[in-house]
Amino acid sequence: EDTLRTRVDDARLCYSPMSSEYFDGILSKEGRKLSESLCGFLLLDELLQKNQAARASLVISRNGDGRPSVINRRNIDFSISHSEGVACCALIVGEEVRIGCDIQRVRQYSPEKMSELAHIFMPPKALTEFLKTGDADLFYTVWTRREAYIKANGGDVFADLRQVNLFTEGFSTHTISSMGDRYFYSICTG
């Protein structure tokens, strides 16, 4: 953790001083959340460098929705997510761009718990399919796509998403394995 903290402190010097609140927020976390947040930022920093972004001119802060973003550039957007030991970051560069990502570790929920959760967040068509099949892959696909959509577009988690088709263009969903755990992640481009 000390090495991660040092790397973030070093990278912080490459960004606008107006980003200090963002960095202070990351560094104020504790435990696993701190490690995950540090890793998430380092992924972002690497992506910005690879895309030759002038980091010194970037102001990273929380926007009106409380979402971390580059508030002084409308042509760069990013999203960071973490879940129980892993972090992911998505970056998009272009005019008037938005992106959201979400990652979730696959948990061993009982069928009853999965059904209870599915009733909360799944749109009707996906819920009907899930209740017929009990397909955990569908469960995590909808979960991560829903969260990625919210991060890209904002909005009320439960009200707005009952109407959104989470199986259209603009979504990418994949799985990864790490340390014996399986994770679903989704990216939504606006």
Side-chain angles (χ1 to χ4, degrees):
E1 192 172 283
D2 289 338
T3 301
L4 294 174
R5 184 185 289 273
T6 299
R7 287 180 60 197
V8 170
D9 279 333
D10 290 346
R12 178 183 195 156
L13 300 174
C14 299
Y15 289 84
S16 165
M18 294 174 64
S19 300
S20 63
E21 187 176 312
Y22 172 73
F23 286 100
D24 291 345
I26 292 172
L27 295 166
S28 71
K29 297 180 181 180
E30 297 180 6
R32 186 173 68 208
K33 291 287 187 197
L34 172 62
S35 296
E36 292 171 351
S37 294
L38 294 171
C39 288
F41 168 75
L42 291 170
L43 289 169
L44 171 63
D45 188 51
E46 184 69 25
L47 288 171
L48 288 167
Q49 289 180 67
K50 285 186 182 215
N51 283 276
Q52 301 175 345
R55 296 179 295 159
S57 70
L58 300 181
V59 178
I60 302 174
S61 186
R62 296 200 176 272
N63 67 17
D65 294 332
R67 177 184 184 265
S69 62
V70 178
I71 63 169
N72 65 326
R73 298 276 299 274
R74 297 174 75 172
N75 67 330
I76 297 175
D77 194 27
F78 71 91
S79 182
I80 298 173
S81 181
H82 39 79
S83 176
E84 300 181 40
V86 299
C88 71
C89 178
L91 175 80
I92 192 167
V93 178
E95 291 305 314
E96 299 292 326
V97 293
R98 297 180 313 221
I99 197 162
C101 72
D102 186 59
I103 189 164
Q104 293 294 326
R105 183 178 69 82
V106 174
R107 297 168 183 91
Q108 298 305 313
Y109 290 128
S110 69
E112 296 79 22
K113 182 65 174 177
M114 285 181 84
S115 177
E116 175 187 330
L117 292 170
H119 276 87
I120 293 170
F121 71 82
M122 282 190 170
K125 186 175 179 181
L127 178 60
T128 299
E129 180 66 23
F130 174 73
L131 293 175
K132 275 192 234 175
T133 65
D135 183 358
D137 286 0
L138 175 63
F139 178 86
Y140 283 101
T141 295
V142 173
W143 183 343
T144 58
R145 284 184 176 200
R146 173 186 71 111
E147 295 294 323
Y149 180 88
I150 292 167
K151 290 178 181 181
N153 296 289
D156 183 300
V157 173
F158 301 111
D160 294 349
L161 286 174
R162 293 229 175 250
Q163 307 309 315
V164 174
N165 183 352
L166 298 174
F167 293 95
T168 61
E169 289 183 34
F171 288 99
S172 178
T173 302
H174 303 278
T175 61
I176 58 171
S177 295
S178 176
M179 307 287 288
D181 286 320
R182 186 170 173 225
Y183 296 83
F184 273 76
Y185 71 93
S186 291
I187 298 171
C188 175
T189 53

